[in-house]
Amino acid sequence: MKNDLKVQRAIFNITQEDLANKVSVSRQTIHAIESNKYIPSTTLAIKIAKVFGRGVEEIFILEESD
Amino acid sequence: MKNDLKVQRAIFNITQEDLANKVSVSRQTIHAIESNKYIPSTTLAIKIAKVFGRGVEEIFILEESD
DNA sequence: ATCATTTGTAAAGTTTTCTTTACATTTTGT
DNA sequence: ACAAAATGTAAAGAAAACTTTACAAATGAT
């Protein structure tokens, strides 16, 4: 699983902190997700995708091994 | 979070076991999700949504308290 | 160059997501 | 009515998703 978080944040010109606040998680959680430390829960994935006005599958992309 | 799994399974006329096999989890996992015992991981949610040819947000619906 | 802001890292603990095995109950088909 | 198929339940353990705190490093603005 990879994600498009960093690109979307750049498009919207928001910081990790901004995004964290919008979806009610810690800034470090956003960082962990962005750096693929772990995959967000579905609840959080939906919230994040909604901030960027996109579908979950567009922000979080399955890879072969998943 | 609620989900539309049971309805989608009925639409496609497949059993919990069928769906479980399609997304490589145990039948009980599907049952647990369907009965809201827990929320699936994003990886699994994406796979399930794909089986039904829908977006994650269409199968798994956020509720106010989420 | 300097300072402020943003990102990056780590660790330990908590909570949630799954697994398996086993059994029970209900539903469906004949 | 009966058998097969499908669904429902439980429990314990492993793995993953988060949290916090603290600090470091990188980047951006002046």
Side-chain angles (χ1 to χ4, degrees):
Chain A
M1 176 86 81
K2 62 180 184 179
N3 68 67
D4 207 37
L5 234 57
K6 192 155 190 171
V7 172
Q8 291 298 315
R9 276 202 308 106
I11 288 168
F12 284 80
N13 194 38
I14 59 173
T15 63
Q16 291 182 342
E17 184 95 46
D18 288 335
L19 179 55
N21 290 336
K22 283 180 188 293
V23 296
S24 306
V25 292
S26 67
R27 193 269 302 170
Q28 276 93 329
T29 298
I30 296 296
H31 178 75
I33 295 163
E34 216 165 90
S35 57
N36 288 104
K37 190 168 182 183
Y38 54 70
I39 298 164
S41 67
T42 299
T43 304
L44 185 51
I46 291 174
K47 285 178 180 177
I48 290 170
K50 191 172 178 182
V51 167
F52 298 132
R54 296 201 156 277
V56 169
E57 293 92 340
E58 293 176 271
I59 308 292
F60 301 99
I61 300 106
L62 280 189
E63 292 179 307
E64 283 297 304
S65 55
D66 292 331
Chain B
M1 176 87 82
K2 62 180 186 180
N3 68 68
D4 207 34
L5 235 56
K6 194 156 191 171
V7 172
Q8 290 298 316
R9 276 201 309 107
I11 288 168
F12 284 80
N13 194 37
I14 58 172
T15 63
Q16 291 181 341
E17 184 95 46
D18 289 335
L19 179 57
N21 291 334
K22 283 178 189 292
V23 296
S24 306
V25 292
S26 67
R27 193 269 303 167
Q28 276 91 327
T29 297
I30 295 297
H31 177 75
I33 295 163
E34 218 165 84
S35 56
N36 287 105
K37 190 168 182 183
Y38 54 72
I39 299 164
S41 66
T42 299
T43 304
L44 185 51
I46 290 174
K47 286 177 179 176
I48 290 170
K50 192 174 179 182
V51 169
F52 298 131
R54 295 200 159 277
V56 170
E57 293 92 337
E58 293 177 89
I59 308 294
F60 301 99
I61 300 107
L62 279 190
E63 292 179 303
E64 283 298 307
S65 56
D66 292 330

